[in-house]
Amino acid sequence: MNTSILVTGGAGFIGSHATVVLQQAGYQVVILDNLCNSARSVLDRIERITGTPPTFIQGDIRDAQTLDGVFASHSISAVMHFAGLKAVGESTQVPLSYYDNNINGSVQLLSAMQRADVRTFIFSSSATVYGEPSILPIPEHHSRSATNPYGHTKLVVEDILENLYNSEPGWRIARLRYFNPVGAHPSGLIGEAPQGVPNNLMPYVAQVATGQREKLHVFGNDYDTPDGTGVRDYIHVMDLAEGHLAALRYCEAAQQDMLTVNLGTGEGYSVLDMVRAFEAASGRPVAYEITGRRAGDIASCWADTTFAEQKLGWKAGKGIKEMCEDAWRWEMRQSVKD
Ligand code: NAD
Ligand code: UD1
């Protein structure tokens, strides 16, 4: 195979796992990443897992010249677009950075694809576009809303993709709505490495288990859920990566199409379920304290996975035990020097 898949943000958490899955499926990968939230060392780790180093270009998706250079010097058949900023709280403090990276960046990338005549595009959207769910499990046709700038960027890019798809023939687009990606590659070589205090539950839990943080603050136990804590659909990042491969294959087989798919497991677990699962996987206690609700949080959220199974023939296979075991292996290996 002489063509390559361009993976923007391929040095990041989800993009690095997708790169592994793509390479193991026989695809060549070109990563474009500005390393604003990742490290170059992930490239060696990917090579250690797959035996092949991905081609790496350090650059920004907002830079048209860089993009034109990438398309001119590599035969790109499709783009998986992970590059962007993702912290909800930060997005309320620096909204313009979020609109610039996530919306302008996507527009620049799609424009460069148009110039290079590459029309297969897999987009990282989020279950955040469903806002407060009115139906559980959440089907793809659920109404959309955004309560913060990050979520708004995902809504806008979804709409841009629909407009683009309707404007000219030949586009093959997958808008993938992720639920809560957690876990790590089973080797423990790549995983999620948040900078500073983690915003998301599972990296925080892992740092309490290692002793880096004293205790978890559980954001509310008065939700209308079985134990009162928030319920989410946690999906193993390797299952998520496999979902991207399935979406790519679906697009490759289509003349043109645009599909919008949930990537989740279809099962919801509470904060305390996840604490207990992590304690079992790590053999370490995870101290916690119940505090007030976090602004903007919803009670429950899990995916209707019927459409993903029907359309992509893909279903998540890993449960919370594996998610916690793999996250723990990654957490432990991070302290080991290569
Ligand atoms: P991440 O921060 O680990 O990875 C993103 C990568 O993109 C990083 O390596 C970063 O350096 C790079 N990047 C950011 N802006 C860039 C730019 N302008 N040009 C080039 N590279 C740039 O995040 P992730 O968790 O891997 O998320 C990947 C995508 O999935 C994001 O679009 C995110 O919004 C989306 N998503 C993530 C989650 C989640 O919980 N992790 C959930 C839903 C959707
Ligand atoms: C958050 C984002 C969402 C994003 C998703 C994946 C918000 C409001 N939403 O979703 O837009 O797509 O991450 O990146 O930030 N929790 C605690 N203590 C903590 C952290 C979390 O109790 O220290 C609880 C939360 O209240 C929630 C659950 O754990 O019930 C999961 O939280 P988190 O991992 O942040 O994901 P989401 O809130 O689902």
Side-chain angles (χ1 to χ4, degrees):
M1 203 185 298
N2 295 319
T3 59
S4 297
I5 310 298
L6 174 61
V7 178
T8 74
F13 173 43
I14 303 169
S16 58
H17 291 80
T19 297
V20 164
V21 164
L22 285 170
Q23 290 192 338
Q24 288 180 335
Y27 289 90
Q28 289 177 30
V29 173
V30 174
I31 291 177
L32 175 65
D33 198 304
N34 66 4
L35 301 181
C36 73
N37 196 35
S38 50
R40 195 179 273 272
S41 55
V42 77
L43 302 165
D44 297 332
R45 309 291 189 91
I46 292 171
E47 182 178 1
R48 279 170 66 182
I49 296 168
T50 65
T52 315
T55 301
F56 178 66
I57 297 152
Q58 185 169 351
D60 199 295
I61 53 162
R62 293 165 294 178
D63 181 356
Q65 239 184 325
T66 298
L67 289 170
D68 286 343
V70 172
F71 286 105
S73 52
H74 300 89
S75 176
I76 304 293
S77 61
V79 177
M80 281 192 189
H81 179 34
F82 298 97
L85 305 180
K86 63 165 182 177
V88 171
E90 184 188 61
S91 79
T92 63
Q93 287 147 15
V94 288
L96 297 182
S97 291
Y98 276 69
Y99 290 122
D100 187 30
N101 269 279
N102 294 7
I103 300 179
N104 175 38
S106 297
V107 170
Q108 294 297 335
L109 177 60
L110 291 162
S111 305
M113 288 177 67
Q114 229 174 11
R115 290 192 292 276
D117 199 20
V118 176
R119 280 160 211 271
T120 304
F121 190 74
I122 314 290
F123 176 59
S124 302
S125 189
S126 167
T128 195
V129 301
Y130 294 122
E132 178 97 44
S134 56
I135 322 168
L136 286 168
I138 308 174
E140 285 84 353
H141 59 73
H142 188 283
S143 60
R144 299 179 314 153
S145 67
T147 52
N148 56 69
Y150 167 72
H152 196 221
T153 67
K154 294 294 175 191
L155 276 184
V156 171
V157 176
E158 283 199 354
D159 290 345
I160 290 171
L161 290 171
E162 186 162 347
N163 296 155
L164 181 63
Y165 179 75
N166 290 328
S167 71
E168 57 183 22
W171 282 92
R172 305 185 292 187
I173 295 172
R175 303 186 298 186
L176 305 181
R177 293 179 177 156
Y178 313 159
F179 280 69
N180 289 60
V182 298
H185 189 270
S187 63
L189 285 167
I190 56 172
E192 185 173 14
Q195 290 168 7
V197 183
N199 297 307
N200 295 120
L201 176 67
M202 293 313 283
Y204 203 107
V205 166
Q207 291 188 7
V208 175
T210 60
Q212 282 168 270
R213 303 201 182 272
E214 187 198 342
K215 63 186 169 197
L216 170 73
H217 301 277
V218 176
F219 297 146
N221 68 347
D222 55 353
Y223 285 103
D224 183 15
T225 62
D227 66 17
T229 67
V231 169
R232 297 291 184 274
D233 185 339
Y234 297 94
I235 176 169
H236 196 295
V237 65
M238 290 305 292
D239 277 331
L240 191 69
E242 294 286 349
H244 285 72
L245 178 62
L248 175 65
R249 289 186 165 142
Y250 177 90
C251 286
E252 285 174 340
Q255 284 283 20
Q256 58 172 47
D257 205 347
M258 189 179 79
L259 108 154
T260 308
V261 191
N262 286 338
L263 295 184
T265 64
E267 290 189 37
Y269 290 96
S270 74
V271 174
L272 297 182
D273 289 335
M274 297 310 284
V275 166
R276 281 188 287 268
F278 207 89
E279 287 183 325
S282 64
R284 304 267 181 102
V286 174
Y288 67 84
E289 180 190 356
I290 310 286
T291 62
R293 292 183 178 193
R294 181 171 65 180
D297 268 358
I298 53 174
S300 300
C301 174
W302 65 91
D304 185 334
T305 58
T306 318
F307 188 65
E309 281 179 57
Q310 278 170 3
K311 268 310 221 208
L312 303 181
W314 167 89
K315 191 175 174 7
K318 294 176 191 280
I320 57 171
K321 183 168 179 283
E322 264 170 296
M323 297 177 206
C324 293
E325 285 171 356
D326 291 339
W328 181 241
R329 195 173 301 107
W330 156 246
E331 203 61 40
M332 290 288 88
R333 278 204 74 135
Q334 279 188 94
S335 50
V336 178
K337 291 247 180 301
D338 285 302

